[in-house]
Amino acid sequence: MSALCKLELSQFRNIEHSNLELAPSLNLIHGENGSGKTSLLEAVHVLATGKSFRSSLVDPLIQEGAPEAVIFAENTEHTSFGLKKPRNQKHQLKLGGTTQTNWDEVARAIPTQILDSGSFQLLEGGPKARRRFLDWGVFHVEPQFVESWRRSRKALANRNRLLKSHPLDEPQLEPWNQELVTSAEKMHAARRSYMEQLIPVFQDIHVQLVGQNLSDLTIEYKRGWDEESGLAEALKVNLAQDLKYGSTQLGPHRADIEMRIGKRKAIELLSRGQQKLLVCALKIAQGKLLSAAIGRQCIYLVDDLPAELDRENRERVLTQLLKLDSQLFVTCVDLTALDFIRLEPPKLATFHVERGIIRD
Ligand SMILES: Nc1ncnc2c1ncn2[C@@H]1O[C@H](COP(=O)(O)OP(=O)(O)O)[C@@H](O)[C@H]1O
Ligand SMILES: [Mg+2]
């Protein structure tokens, strides 16, 4: 089990200073609205991924008036993680005392999933949220994926730059086309293989969550270009369109996951409650697949579950999450909303947050 056992925050949002001894299984964080519960989850997320799930800017995370925010954590394997973000300056990230140039290693060491009101974008929102979901999974199980992903981004950026220039220098486009096609094929192979593994795990968890089998619910991965012709041909055929928009219309950056019930989109038919359970099942399935693939559990940050799910579904979702043997951070305003939880210390730690001060 790869849990965090210590978390120390300094001048992060409204949390002036906090030093927490975490439980390996469930960390319950309760307190009034605006007390700092989401900030605590956000700190774990920023440390693990370099990004907040609330804003992409990092400076607003620093406490007002403070020169820098610091987040430090240690896991049960005695590996330390440290992030310092001075105002208006680049961050410093350390893993086991060694400075990191990017988040790859830290993200792999602390795989982190978030379940909050924003997670439902997975169904309601555009394909970007679904690609992020997909790529989170592939990143963690397929170490080569990030390289192909970066190469495709670079090829796309260069190709798009050329598409915008007049007159078009077609010979210059060719090497970027080739680079895009090569990286796209690799990304597609990894994404497809991931989805093939994920779907049965998802179906199993979904049945347990909703208590019945939605037999006509289908999930289909779409690569982002026509399968028959292949991407090289599609780029040629689509050149006029790409020139018109000044950007590449087909490619791995257009991949999506389609969820349908019969012929209709799932979002059009499912109730709000059913949509939420579907998203929870997808996220839980990712955690299960991750441990099966790499033998590490991911950390789940579950923000204000009572606000999102009714009591029965809350209990079902938490039961499935606890079955993963993952470390959970669960926030709520009122603990009675989670009084069905039967865990005891040391597996359970309860923290109360009041105006940025966290007490166990
Ligand atoms: N950079 C900052 N410095 C100081 N306080 C902040 C900063 N950013 C946000 N806050 C405050 O932190 C408080 C805690 O917010 P939040 O973690 O969302 O609370 P909760 O999740 O408990 O409702 C809010 O009152 C917010 O105004
Ligand atoms: Mg909150």
Side-chain angles (χ1 to χ4, degrees), residues 59-253:
D59 269 3
L61 306 177
I62 304 170
Q63 189 159 85
E64 268 164 49
E68 61 182 24
V70 182
I71 311 167
F72 175 86
E74 201 177 295
N75 70 10
T76 45
E77 293 149 8
H78 306 291
T79 304
S80 63
F81 307 89
L83 173 65
K84 189 190 275 192
K85 176 66 182 82
R87 204 175 283 282
N88 303 321
Q89 283 176 48
K90 200 176 174 320
H91 64 264
Q92 294 160 38
L93 178 69
K94 285 192 175 178
L95 168 61
T98 309
T99 300
Q100 305 291 299
T101 51
N102 61 37
W103 251 273
D104 290 1
E105 294 306 311
V106 172
R108 281 189 212 289
I110 329 176
T112 304
Q113 279 276 3
I114 171 95
L115 211 48
D116 71 345
S117 55
S119 303
F120 306 112
Q121 284 296 320
L122 206 52
L123 265 186
E124 317 165 329
K128 197 172 173 184
R130 288 181 289 278
R131 273 195 299 276
R132 193 174 295 158
F133 165 86
L134 170 62
D135 289 347
W136 182 95
V138 190
F139 170 85
H140 283 290
V141 303
E142 176 56 63
Q144 315 300 326
F145 179 71
V146 69
E147 165 78 7
S148 315
W149 187 87
R150 289 199 176 114
R151 289 179 71 161
S152 83
R153 300 287 289 205
K154 189 176 169 195
L156 272 171
N158 281 292
R159 191 173 189 273
N160 291 345
R161 184 176 46 76
L162 289 169
L163 289 171
K164 286 189 189 79
S165 63
H166 300 285
L168 173 70
D169 186 349
E170 246 189 289
Q172 274 218 47
L173 213 54
E174 200 37 43
W176 295 119
N177 285 350
Q178 281 174 19
E179 177 73 0
L180 180 60
V181 168
T182 310
S183 49
E185 292 295 351
K186 286 184 183 159
M187 283 172 74
H188 164 60
R191 282 169 166 174
R192 181 175 57 189
S193 150
Y194 181 76
M195 286 306 289
E196 279 169 7
Q197 295 171 65
L198 185 76
I199 290 169
V201 179
F202 156 79
Q203 279 164 339
D204 186 40
I205 290 166
H206 192 238
V207 169
Q208 293 183 55
L209 274 188
V210 299
Q212 57 168 337
N213 193 356
L214 283 177
S215 57
D216 48 357
L217 171 69
T218 55
I219 299 189
E220 200 183 343
Y221 156 68
K222 298 279 181 185
R223 69 185 76 195
W225 64 91
D226 186 52
E227 188 182 338
E228 300 263 300
S229 64
L231 185 56
E233 181 62 21
L235 289 176
K236 263 188 220 149
V237 172
N238 219 49
L239 183 59
Q241 283 285 87
D242 286 358
L243 285 167
K244 183 176 151 198
Y245 291 106
S247 66
T248 309
Q249 302 300 301
L250 298 169
H253 58 303

Side-chain angles (χ1 to χ4, degrees), residues 12-14 31-40 42 54 59-64 303 353:
F12 185 90
R13 296 249 192 224
N14 71 334
E32 296 285 303
N33 280 322
S35 58
K37 305 179 298 296
T38 303
S39 300
L40 176 57
E42 196 178 21
R54 291 205 282 196
D59 269 3
L61 306 177
I62 304 170
Q63 189 159 85
E64 268 164 49
D303 200 18
V353 193

